[in-house]
Amino acid sequence: MRKNIFFIVFSASTLFVNNFSAYSQIKKENLKLGLSYGTGSQNKWPFNLKDYTREVDFYKLLFNYSISKKRKWAYEITIEPSYNIAEHQLLNKWFVKETDYEDYLEKRELYTQKRSIREYVLNLGFILRYNIYGDLSTYAIAGVGPMISDKATERLAKGYAFSDVFGLGLSYEIKPFQLDFRYSVRHISNLEMRPPNSGHNTTNIEFSVLISLW
């Protein structure tokens, strides 16, 4: 089931890029594909809450397209399907209250154990890039997209939710490659579709390699 979900996300992203190339006024030389690895934690500034710990590793496919360039500024869109593995543990058992669950004692026992949670995410983002000098540039990225998680926590229901990301990055081009470093903050919640919905927050760093195929 997990492999099927990830395959669907990857196939949808690939289909979008292929159709975008075929039916729009796209310049293929502005398109880059890449891979990314990142790691994140709830236990670092600016979050560092005491109720729980959360560590995450994530693996991404990157589809990046440059919309326009004006002098030192560039505007880009990005599609980033990812597979995340989170290690989550409730530290404050009193966070789970009797008023929240009929079986609150069982929930406390479950959530205070360290557990692995799989997430399947499709983020869509906008990048504002500034060329510092030569092949070195910096950028800001904001993105949002749907995700599916395979386990509930005391803060978020199992299943469908949304992933919001804001980050700052640094890129260096060694054509046809682009090396990239990014620092970001991420929030996930489900828009009150199902309780609980306190959400999760992490600060993340990631490293990417992109390549222009044309």
Side-chain angles (χ1 to χ4, degrees), residues 54 88 101 111 115 117 151-157 196 200:
R54 188 176 183 86
H88 183 93
Y101 306 96
Y111 294 148
R115 297 185 301 147
I117 301 171
K151 291 184 180 71
T153 72
E154 75 286 351
R155 301 181 64 87
L156 189 65
H200 297 297

Side-chain angles (χ1 to χ4, degrees), residues 43-61:
N43 306 311
K44 296 179 182 178
W45 184 89
F47 303 119
N48 197 26
L49 302 176
K50 303 301 182 183
D51 286 333
Y52 71 101
T53 63
R54 188 176 183 86
E55 307 286 337
V56 60
D57 293 297
F58 52 91
Y59 309 86
K60 291 183 183 179
L61 297 173

Side-chain angles (χ1 to χ4, degrees), residues 64-68 74-78 125-129 178:
N64 182 275
Y65 183 73
S66 178
I67 302 171
S68 67
Y75 307 90
E76 305 167 7
I77 56 175
T78 182
F126 177 78
I127 293 174
L128 176 62
R129 185 179 299 277
Q178 177 179 303

Side-chain angles (χ1 to χ4, degrees), residues 117-120 147-152 156-161:
I117 301 171
R118 268 57 177 178
E119 301 171 347
Y120 307 88
M147 62 164 278
I148 296 174
S149 60
D150 71 347
K151 291 184 180 71
L156 189 65
K158 173 184 175 180
Y160 194 75

Side-chain angles (χ1 to χ4, degrees), residues 157-175:
K158 173 184 175 180
Y160 194 75
F162 292 92
S163 170
D164 307 320
V165 176
F166 177 78
L168 299 173
L170 193 66
S171 301
Y172 185 75
E173 287 200 47
I174 309 173
K175 295 186 178 181

